[in-house]
Amino acid sequence: MSAVLERPPALPRGTTAVNRLRQVLLAVITGTRPMLGGYWIVMLVAFGVGGVAFQLATGGIDHSVWDYGTQSPKYFSMAIGISIAPAYFTLLIAQGVTRRMFSIAAGIYLTGAAVATAVLWVVVYQLEHLVYGWRGWSQTLENPHLFTDASQAGLIFTEFFLLILSHEAAGWLLGITFYRFGFWRGVALLPLSILPAAAAEFLLIAQWLADALDSVGYRRPPLAVAVPTILVVSALGVYVGYLLLRPLALKPAKG
C-alpha cells in the first residue's frame, strides 16, 4: 500500500523532480512568510529598536534588552513546525506531490528558517553590542548561554540554530501525530514528539533550563558531542514524521 502511495505521478514534459520540489518549497515559504516575517518584525521592534529606545530614555541599564527575548524563537519555531503538516499535507498531496517530496521540502524549509532566525539573532546582538559600546553601557546577558559575550557570533549562531531546529523538528512531529492520530493518542505520543527539543535542551544547557540543571550538578557535554547529536536527532525527527505520513490517506474536507 505504501509503495503505491509513494509512486511519483507522471510529470508533464519538461518538468523535473527538482522543479517540482522547488514549487512545493515555494508554496510552503509563501504560506508561512507572513507568520514568520511578522514574528521577526515584532521582535525587532519590541526588543531591538524598543530596547535601544528604552536604554536612551532611562540612561542605560546594565543588561542586554535583546537577551530578554531569547526564549521565544524556539517556541515560535515549534509552532511553525506544528502548522506545516495540518496546513499543507492535504493540499499538496492532492496536487500529486508525494509524501516523500513533501517531507523533504518541509525539512529544507525548517532548516532554512532556523538559519535565517539564528542569523537575525546574531546580527541584532552585534548591533546592540556596538550601540552599547558607543554609549558606554554594560551588555550583561540575562540568560545563561553557550556564549559569554555578545560579540561571539559563532557561538550565538550555534546555540540558536540548534535550539530552533530541534524545536521545529519537535513541532513537526507534534503536528503530524495530532493530525494523524487525534487528540488523545497525540497526547500519548508527546514523549516521542518532544524528543528532539528535549535532546537539545539537555545537551546545550542554555537559557531557562541551565540554572536548574546546574543546581543538581548536571554539566553540559562537550560541543563536539552535543552538536552532531542534536543534528542527528533533529533529522531523525523529520524522518519519523515522514514515516508517520507515508500511510496516511487524504482526509475529506469538512462540510
Side-chain angles (χ1 to χ4, degrees), residues 3 46 68 73 91-92 100 103 116 173 198 209 217 230-231 244 249 253:
Y68 284 104
L91 173 65
L92 293 173
R100 181 182 292 109
S103 300
L173 284 173
L209 194 61
I230 294 169
L231 292 174
L244 293 173

Side-chain angles (χ1 to χ4, degrees), residues 156-246:
I156 295 173
F157 178 83
T158 299
E159 176 182 320
F160 282 92
F161 171 72
L162 292 175
L163 284 173
I164 291 168
L165 182 68
S166 60
H167 282 72
E168 286 175 336
W172 164 253
L173 284 173
L174 284 167
I176 291 171
T177 52
F178 278 86
Y179 180 70
R180 176 177 173 181
F181 300 113
F183 179 78
W184 292 112
R185 282 183 287 181
V187 170
L189 288 169
L190 276 174
L192 166 68
S193 300
I194 67 171
L195 184 59
E201 295 285 7
F202 280 91
L203 288 170
L204 292 182
I205 317 299
Q207 303 182 15
W208 69 271
L209 194 61
D211 289 334
L213 292 176
D214 184 68
S215 67
V216 297
Y218 183 86
R219 295 293 180 267
R220 179 191 301 123
L223 288 182
V225 173
V227 172
T229 302
I230 294 169
L231 292 174
V232 168
V233 172
S234 298
L236 286 174
V238 175
Y239 180 68
V240 169
Y242 158 66
L243 295 180
L244 293 173
L245 287 176
R246 191 165 61 177

Side-chain angles (χ1 to χ4, degrees), residues 121-142:
W121 249 255
V122 171
V123 169
V124 180
Y125 266 123
Q126 305 316 303
L127 292 175
E128 189 185 63
H129 184 71
L130 290 174
V131 172
Y132 277 43
W134 170 56
R135 298 290 298 185
W137 298 332
S138 174
Q139 196 187 14
T140 304
L141 301 174
E142 177 68 17

Side-chain angles (χ1 to χ4, degrees), residues 7-129:
R7 185 180 297 126
L11 299 177
R13 181 170 297 183
T15 301
T16 66
V18 173
N19 289 336
R20 178 70 66 87
L21 177 62
R22 186 182 297 114
Q23 292 300 315
V24 175
L25 186 57
L26 180 61
V28 176
I29 292 172
T30 301
T32 57
R33 185 165 51 202
M35 183 178 177
L36 185 58
Y39 168 73
W40 290 342
I41 292 171
V42 168
M43 294 302 296
L44 281 170
V45 171
F47 290 94
V49 177
V52 171
F54 175 78
Q55 293 279 50
L56 290 170
T58 60
I61 58 174
D62 62 351
H63 281 80
S64 163
V65 176
W66 183 247
D67 199 54
Y68 284 104
T70 58
Q71 302 293 344
S72 70
K74 54 187 180 183
Y75 301 122
F76 180 84
S77 298
M78 179 180 284
I80 291 282
I82 289 171
S83 69
I84 289 179
Y88 297 100
F89 178 78
T90 297
L91 173 65
L92 293 173
I93 301 304
Q95 297 298 318
V97 175
T98 65
R99 288 152 179 80
R100 181 182 292 109
M101 183 174 289
F102 173 70
S103 300
I104 291 172
I108 294 172
Y109 170 76
L110 293 175
T111 302
V115 169
T117 305
V119 167
L120 175 66
W121 249 255
V122 171
V123 169
V124 180
Y125 266 123
Q126 305 316 303
L127 292 175
E128 189 185 63
H129 184 71

